[in-house]
Amino acid sequence: MTGNDIKLDRYAIVSFGKKKENLLIALKNNVIGSKHATFEKHIQNGQIIFFHCNGSIWGSGVVVSNYYYDCTPIWDDNLYPHRFNIRAGLFHQDGILTSQSSFSEKMKGRFGSGWGFSYIFAPQPLPNAFGIDLLEEIKCQSTDAYTFMNTI
């Protein structure tokens, strides 16, 4: 994948719920997965994704494969066979809180009070302005994926 293949007009949030260990496993294996077949409708090769866990956005990555179905166990708690390969990008040192923060207030002002539900828990593509804001916020306090994985 080249820089020209990255879709800067297409962003999504991938949530790991409260399971930080699943986020770490995904990063170590360069793969994201879901139990739900609808996952493939919201994620595309070349898309920029954001990693959500424990009420915070922790970092960004790029999808580097087309959708595939694989029952090989990776995660300890479930199978998550609907998958995409990823390449980790930058990570925020402290995480960006998705509620009760200045970032959250900014998103409420721009996208409404239900922005978290609309874009995290019922995944759909993020508006471009939202994706750009998240990338900028991450860049302000960024670290690389290796450092991130070894500090959380």
Side-chain angles (χ1 to χ4, degrees), residues 103-117:
F103 180 78
S104 177
E105 292 305 313
K106 181 178 178 181
M107 294 300 103
K108 284 180 189 176
R110 294 180 78 185
F111 304 108
S113 61
W115 76 268
F117 180 79

Side-chain angles (χ1 to χ4, degrees), residues 15-104:
S15 182
F16 293 86
K18 295 186 180 212
K19 298 179 179 176
K20 218 177 237 188
E21 59 275 3
N22 282 359
L23 171 56
L24 293 174
I25 290 168
L27 294 173
K28 287 178 183 174
N29 288 279
N30 297 310
V31 65
I32 53 173
S34 176
K35 295 184 281 186
H36 308 288
T38 57
F39 192 55
E40 70 175 298
K41 294 179 183 175
H42 303 291
I43 306 294
Q44 295 180 1
N45 190 1
Q47 186 173 15
I48 294 175
I49 55 173
F50 299 100
F51 304 108
H52 173 267
C53 185
N54 283 349
S56 293
I57 303 290
W58 290 97
S60 63
V62 176
V63 177
V64 295
S65 75
N66 291 321
Y67 163 85
Y68 62 97
Y69 187 89
D70 186 350
C71 289
T72 305
I74 295 177
W75 295 271
D76 298 331
D77 68 330
N78 215 312
L79 190 56
Y80 308 113
H82 303 279
R83 299 180 183 173
F84 290 89
N85 293 334
I86 60 165
R87 182 178 67 234
L90 293 176
F91 286 79
H92 195 279
Q93 293 174 342
D94 304 314
I96 303 167
L97 289 174
T98 54
S99 64
Q100 314 253 328
S101 68
S102 59
F103 180 78
S104 177

Side-chain angles (χ1 to χ4, degrees), residues 126-150:
L126 296 172
N128 288 349
F130 192 148
I132 291 166
D133 286 349
L134 266 175
L135 282 175
E136 289 303 314
E137 191 79 17
I138 291 168
K139 286 178 187 177
C140 289
Q141 297 287 321
S142 67
T143 187
D144 60 89
Y146 178 81
T147 303
F148 172 76
M149 288 188 290
N150 288 299

